[in-house]
Amino acid sequence: FVFIIICVFGGYILAGGKIGIILAALPFEMMIIGGAALGTLLMANSMHGVKHVAAGFSKVLKGGKFRKSDYIDLLSLLYWLVRLAATKGAMALEPHIEKPMESPAFAKFPRIRDDHHAVTLICDYLRMVGMHADDPHQIEDVFARELRKLLNEELHPAHAMQKVADALPALGIVAAVMGVIKTMGSITEPPPILGKMIGSALVGTFLGVFLAYGLMGPMASRLQSVVEEEIKYYEVIRAVLVAHLHGNAPQVSVETGRKMAPTEHMPSFQELEEALQNLQIRSEERRVG
């Protein structure tokens, strides 16, 4: 955005434009356009949605929250859980899925434990398996529908931002028209003064278009890409659990999940194998044994 500002305003100044006219009109035009944009956002969304949009701005700045280490941890935890289920039966999972905050397995991976969506998905679907809902096709279908719902909910801030971006050019015209009305009320002024007033009015049109295509639109697009990247983390859970229900060995199940990770964050086969070899949850292994 800084680069855009430098290019746009730098080019304007180098071409001989007078920046003073823009700076003089900027506070008032921003009040009109920005205030109207905020008002449309508040009218179009519930308070929960508005808070969700506010949280979305931090995602735009920070990017996706999951890295390669997070995928290694997730696959390691899932490996331990499906291995426990395969060797000791689904009932052995009950202490972990009923009280995940107290589970030594989840305690070893605090970032997963603190992720509400990840814990809910893991525990809910392992709980369904314990209730003999072990048809892999049925579980996969239900899981996929829940992930689509989660994706739609998480994309709401991006859609809201895009709606604001779509409205900003028209709101800029509103500000410009108000400037023209102001100018017409001073039609008897000499041409130099009228010229400045008309220039100030046109700042509204400029700002509306600039903010729409130079700020809000790219931010909405960026947020959408971040959300779509993060949902892959939960796709890994679905892939591992469904592969487990198909009767695959724990190593094969987590390898299936590994392939679902985004390419830039996907651990290599060797990296995951090394992590699984080093996986130890001693206190729980002794207790279960």
Side-chain angles (χ1 to χ4, degrees):
F1 184 60
V2 172
F3 178 75
I4 292 173
I5 290 177
I6 292 173
C7 290
V8 171
F9 289 96
Y12 171 75
I13 294 171
L14 291 175
K18 297 182 178 179
I19 195 67
I21 297 177
I22 296 178
L23 294 178
L26 192 61
F28 309 105
E29 300 294 334
M30 282 297 297
M31 180 179 178
I32 295 171
I33 299 171
L38 179 59
T40 60
L41 179 68
L42 293 174
M43 284 190 290
N45 297 274
S46 66
M47 189 52 62
H48 173 75
V50 171
K51 293 178 180 178
H52 207 179
V53 172
F57 283 105
S58 65
K59 282 191 176 185
V60 172
L61 297 174
K62 297 177 181 178
K65 63 181 179 180
F66 301 119
R67 299 291 182 265
K68 180 187 289 188
S69 59
D70 295 302
Y71 283 94
I72 291 176
D73 287 348
L74 179 62
L75 290 166
S76 298
L77 173 62
L78 292 172
Y79 170 79
W80 191 87
L81 291 172
V82 298
R83 186 185 66 177
L84 181 63
T87 57
K88 299 185 180 296
M91 294 304 296
L93 296 173
E94 187 172 344
H96 304 285
I97 62 179
E98 294 301 331
K99 296 182 179 180
M101 297 300 108
E102 300 176 9
S103 165
F106 282 93
K108 188 173 178 66
F109 306 103
R111 279 178 58 83
I112 300 175
R113 183 190 58 192
D114 296 338
D115 188 308
H116 170 73
H117 294 310
V119 172
T120 299
L121 291 172
I122 293 172
C123 294
D124 283 358
Y125 285 92
L126 286 176
R127 191 178 292 114
M128 290 174 64
V129 173
M131 297 166 60
H132 305 292
D134 53 0
D135 182 342
H137 302 290
Q138 182 183 27
I139 293 294
E140 184 173 20
D141 180 61
V142 175
F143 211 134
R145 279 186 279 141
E146 182 166 1
L147 288 179
R148 283 196 298 270
K149 181 191 76 170
L150 178 60
L151 176 61
N152 290 333
E153 291 174 349
E154 292 299 313
L155 282 176
H156 172 264
H159 295 324
M161 287 183 186
Q162 187 58 55
K163 293 292 185 182
V164 173
D166 294 340
L168 278 170
L171 295 176
I173 293 175
V174 170
V177 170
M178 294 181 72
V180 172
I181 294 172
K182 173 189 171 185
T183 302
M184 295 305 291
S186 305
I187 196 65
T188 58
E189 297 289 339
I193 295 178
L194 287 176
K196 289 183 179 180
M197 295 179 71
I198 294 172
S200 296
L202 292 175
V203 170
T205 302
F206 158 72
L207 277 180
V209 176
F210 178 72
L211 292 175
Y213 298 108
L215 180 63
M216 290 302 297
M219 288 179 68
S221 178
R222 170 61 175 161
L223 180 57
Q224 179 174 339
S225 66
V226 169
V227 170
E228 290 175 346
E229 176 188 309
E230 289 184 347
I231 208 71
K232 295 294 184 182
Y233 185 78
Y234 308 113
E235 287 279 2
V236 169
I237 301 174
R238 179 190 63 81
V240 172
L241 295 185
V242 170
H244 168 66
L245 290 176
H246 275 291
N248 292 293
Q251 293 89 341
V252 177
S253 297
V254 295
E255 177 62 19
T256 303
R258 184 181 73 87
K259 295 293 187 180
M260 294 301 299
T263 302
E264 62 178 314
H265 301 312
M266 184 174 69
S268 67
F269 180 88
Q270 291 76 14
E271 288 174 325
L272 179 58
E273 185 177 31
E274 181 180 351
L276 296 181
Q277 289 175 350
N278 295 332
L279 180 64
Q280 292 181 358
I281 308 178
R282 295 189 179 91
S283 60
E284 178 58 22
E285 286 175 345
R286 287 198 299 266
R287 192 183 70 80
V288 174

